[in-house]
Amino acid sequence: MDDEPPSPEDLDRLRRVANFQFGRGGAAALFPNVGERGSDDVGSVTVTRTASGRVEQCFDDGARLFTMETNGRFVLSVEGGRRIVEGLEAPRHRVVVGEESVEFVRDGRNAFAKFVQSVDPELRPGDDAVVVYDDGSGPQVLGVGRAELSPDAMADFDTGVAVFVRHGAGD
């Protein structure tokens, strides 16, 4: 299907989902260039729809931000993950891994608990997570995926997948 601007109602619904899923400020992080809530100004945001008319994917300036699951939740793209990292204070929705994981996660491979250095204490298994590496110059987004373990388990386990990576930054 072709991209089209979202209706103000669609954009308002997307904002509500973003704030629900990522907490206060989630919508501002994902949609920094749109008008105030209730405004007709959608900036450069476009959506694709399913055959039934449901919003399927959301783009901003041609970059895919997320795909919307049938349950109404967002599955972030790498660009969506970058916006979450830039727009929300650390450690929200982040899993920080060590240097030994950088190339693997960037290539789209899973992040393992053994290499997790820190994690958002509010992250729950099943939540979308942004896997980052921080060498002191700021966080680098390596990939995005689904948290498989609780924050405590990520910190305690020496084996197992911490984040099932859907998209690596190098894909």
Side-chain angles (χ1 to χ4, degrees), residues 1 32 37 40 42 56 59 70 74 103 128 130 134 158 160 168:
M1 299 215 151
R37 188 171 176 209
D40 290 342
V42 297
E56 181 176 42
F59 300 83
T70 55
F74 298 161
E103 291 306 315
D128 261 34
V130 183
D134 193 345
D158 287 330

Side-chain angles (χ1 to χ4, degrees), residues 19 69 109 146:
N19 285 330
E69 293 183 318
R109 297 192 188 122
R146 181 183 65 236

Side-chain angles (χ1 to χ4, degrees), residues 89-168:
E89 281 189 38
R92 289 181 51 199
H93 287 277
R94 293 174 179 88
V95 174
V96 180
V97 295
E99 185 176 3
E100 55 278 323
S101 296
V102 170
E103 291 306 315
F104 293 101
V105 175
R106 189 175 282 141
D107 288 342
R109 297 192 188 122
N110 296 331
F112 286 88
K114 178 178 183 175
F115 304 111
V116 171
Q117 293 181 337
S118 65
V119 62
D120 175 359
E122 301 295 318
L123 200 62
R124 298 166 299 186
D127 283 350
D128 261 34
V130 183
V131 182
V132 299
Y133 169 68
D134 193 345
D135 61 1
S137 63
Q140 300 172 31
V141 174
L142 303 176
V144 292
R146 181 183 65 236
E148 295 293 314
L149 299 171
S150 70
D152 290 340
M154 285 185 202
D156 292 343
F157 289 6
D158 287 330
T159 61
V161 174
V163 179
F164 172 79
V165 175
R166 292 186 183 112
H167 305 287

